[in-house]
mmCIF file of all heavy atoms in Angstrom:
data_model
loop_
_atom_site.group_PDB
_atom_site.id
_atom_site.type_symbol
_atom_site.label_atom_id
_atom_site.label_comp_id
_atom_site.label_asym_id
_atom_site.label_seq_id
_atom_site.Cartn_x
_atom_site.Cartn_y
_atom_site.Cartn_z
ATOM 1 N N PHE A 99 -1.855 29.461 -34.615
ATOM 2 C CA PHE A 99 -1.299 30.650 -33.897
ATOM 3 C C PHE A 99 -2.409 31.512 -33.290
ATOM 4 O O PHE A 99 -2.184 32.610 -32.937
ATOM 5 C CB PHE A 99 -0.596 31.515 -34.992
ATOM 6 C CG PHE A 99 0.683 30.889 -35.513
ATOM 7 C CD1 PHE A 99 0.722 30.291 -36.751
ATOM 8 C CD2 PHE A 99 1.858 30.952 -34.779
ATOM 9 C CE1 PHE A 99 1.918 29.667 -37.222
ATOM 10 C CE2 PHE A 99 3.016 30.373 -35.209
ATOM 11 C CZ PHE A 99 3.066 29.762 -36.479
ATOM 12 N N SER A 100 -3.590 30.885 -33.073
ATOM 13 C CA SER A 100 -4.696 31.664 -32.494
ATOM 14 C C SER A 100 -4.472 31.982 -31.030
ATOM 15 O O SER A 100 -5.135 32.886 -30.472
ATOM 16 C CB SER A 100 -6.019 30.995 -32.720
ATOM 17 O OG SER A 100 -5.981 29.663 -32.102
ATOM 18 N N GLY A 101 -3.560 31.235 -30.353
ATOM 19 C CA GLY A 101 -3.302 31.465 -28.935
ATOM 20 C C GLY A 101 -1.930 30.940 -28.645
ATOM 21 O O GLY A 101 -1.154 30.453 -29.572
ATOM 22 N N PRO A 102 -1.451 31.068 -27.479
ATOM 23 C CA PRO A 102 -0.074 30.556 -27.115
ATOM 24 C C PRO A 102 0.021 29.104 -27.464
ATOM 25 O O PRO A 102 -0.765 28.291 -27.005
ATOM 26 C CB PRO A 102 0.012 30.796 -25.657
ATOM 27 C CG PRO A 102 -0.935 31.904 -25.354
ATOM 28 C CD PRO A 102 -2.093 31.751 -26.268
ATOM 29 N N ARG A 103 1.009 28.748 -28.269
ATOM 30 C CA ARG A 103 1.171 27.414 -28.781
ATOM 31 C C ARG A 103 2.623 26.985 -28.719
ATOM 32 O O ARG A 103 3.536 27.844 -28.847
ATOM 33 C CB ARG A 103 0.706 27.220 -30.216
ATOM 34 C CG ARG A 103 -0.819 27.371 -30.431
ATOM 35 C CD ARG A 103 -1.614 26.244 -29.730
ATOM 36 N NE ARG A 103 -3.040 26.375 -30.044
ATOM 37 C CZ ARG A 103 -3.869 27.122 -29.329
ATOM 38 N NH1 ARG A 103 -3.450 27.760 -28.252
ATOM 39 N NH2 ARG A 103 -5.194 27.155 -29.654
ATOM 40 N N GLU A 104 2.906 25.734 -28.604
ATOM 41 C CA GLU A 104 4.273 25.209 -28.476
ATOM 42 C C GLU A 104 4.556 24.410 -29.754
ATOM 43 O O GLU A 104 3.784 23.657 -30.288
ATOM 44 C CB GLU A 104 4.425 24.290 -27.272
ATOM 45 C CG GLU A 104 5.870 23.709 -27.153
ATOM 46 C CD GLU A 104 6.026 22.719 -25.996
ATOM 47 O OE1 GLU A 104 4.957 22.030 -25.695
ATOM 48 O OE2 GLU A 104 7.106 22.498 -25.570
ATOM 49 N N TRP A 105 5.756 24.644 -30.301
ATOM 50 C CA TRP A 105 6.287 23.895 -31.472
ATOM 51 C C TRP A 105 7.689 23.368 -31.154
ATOM 52 O O TRP A 105 8.618 24.175 -30.917
ATOM 53 C CB TRP A 105 6.310 24.817 -32.719
ATOM 54 C CG TRP A 105 6.737 24.089 -33.948
ATOM 55 C CD1 TRP A 105 6.351 22.875 -34.364
ATOM 56 C CD2 TRP A 105 7.791 24.533 -34.912
ATOM 57 N NE1 TRP A 105 7.009 22.492 -35.548
ATOM 58 C CE2 TRP A 105 7.896 23.516 -35.882
ATOM 59 C CE3 TRP A 105 8.612 25.691 -34.980
ATOM 60 C CZ2 TRP A 105 8.759 23.623 -36.961
ATOM 61 C CZ3 TRP A 105 9.431 25.721 -36.067
ATOM 62 C CH2 TRP A 105 9.486 24.762 -37.052
ATOM 63 N N ILE A 106 7.760 22.091 -31.110
ATOM 64 C CA ILE A 106 9.060 21.481 -30.790
ATOM 65 C C ILE A 106 9.735 21.002 -32.089
ATOM 66 O O ILE A 106 9.103 20.332 -32.918
ATOM 67 C CB ILE A 106 8.831 20.209 -29.829
ATOM 68 C CG1 ILE A 106 8.217 20.667 -28.563
ATOM 69 C CG2 ILE A 106 10.203 19.456 -29.609
ATOM 70 C CD1 ILE A 106 7.917 19.481 -27.596
ATOM 71 N N HIS A 107 10.954 21.469 -32.274
ATOM 72 C CA HIS A 107 11.693 21.202 -33.523
ATOM 73 C C HIS A 107 13.225 21.175 -33.218
ATOM 74 O O HIS A 107 13.640 21.558 -32.118
ATOM 75 C CB HIS A 107 11.357 22.158 -34.562
ATOM 76 C CG HIS A 107 11.770 23.614 -34.324
ATOM 77 N ND1 HIS A 107 12.927 24.139 -34.767
ATOM 78 C CD2 HIS A 107 11.200 24.517 -33.436
ATOM 79 C CE1 HIS A 107 13.008 25.348 -34.260
ATOM 80 N NE2 HIS A 107 12.017 25.657 -33.461
ATOM 81 N N THR A 108 13.910 20.852 -34.213
ATOM 82 C CA THR A 108 15.388 20.876 -34.160
ATOM 83 C C THR A 108 15.913 21.922 -35.050
ATOM 84 O O THR A 108 15.516 22.024 -36.205
ATOM 85 C CB THR A 108 16.019 19.473 -34.620
ATOM 86 O OG1 THR A 108 15.507 18.480 -33.825
ATOM 87 C CG2 THR A 108 17.530 19.561 -34.399
ATOM 88 N N ASN A 109 16.752 22.779 -34.426
ATOM 89 C CA ASN A 109 17.268 23.984 -35.249
ATOM 90 C C ASN A 109 18.423 23.577 -36.111
ATOM 91 O O ASN A 109 18.850 22.401 -36.145
ATOM 92 C CB ASN A 109 17.575 25.133 -34.337
ATOM 93 C CG ASN A 109 18.775 24.794 -33.405
ATOM 94 O OD1 ASN A 109 19.405 23.825 -33.533
ATOM 95 N ND2 ASN A 109 19.075 25.754 -32.500
ATOM 96 N N ALA A 110 18.990 24.551 -36.813
ATOM 97 C CA ALA A 110 20.076 24.295 -37.747
ATOM 98 C C ALA A 110 21.402 23.720 -37.025
ATOM 99 O O ALA A 110 22.193 23.067 -37.605
ATOM 100 C CB ALA A 110 20.482 25.555 -38.525
ATOM 101 N N GLN A 111 21.503 24.032 -35.716
ATOM 102 C CA GLN A 111 22.666 23.621 -34.956
ATOM 103 C C GLN A 111 22.427 22.228 -34.333
ATOM 104 O O GLN A 111 23.300 21.704 -33.651
ATOM 105 C CB GLN A 111 22.968 24.638 -33.809
ATOM 106 C CG GLN A 111 23.587 25.938 -34.339
ATOM 107 C CD GLN A 111 22.567 26.841 -34.974
ATOM 108 O OE1 GLN A 111 21.407 26.813 -34.572
ATOM 109 N NE2 GLN A 111 22.928 27.587 -35.934
#
Side-chain angles (χ1 to χ4, degrees):
F99 291 101
S100 60
R103 294 291 186 273
E104 181 186 25
W105 181 47
I106 298 177
H107 64 100
T108 303
N109 65 7
Q111 290 75 33

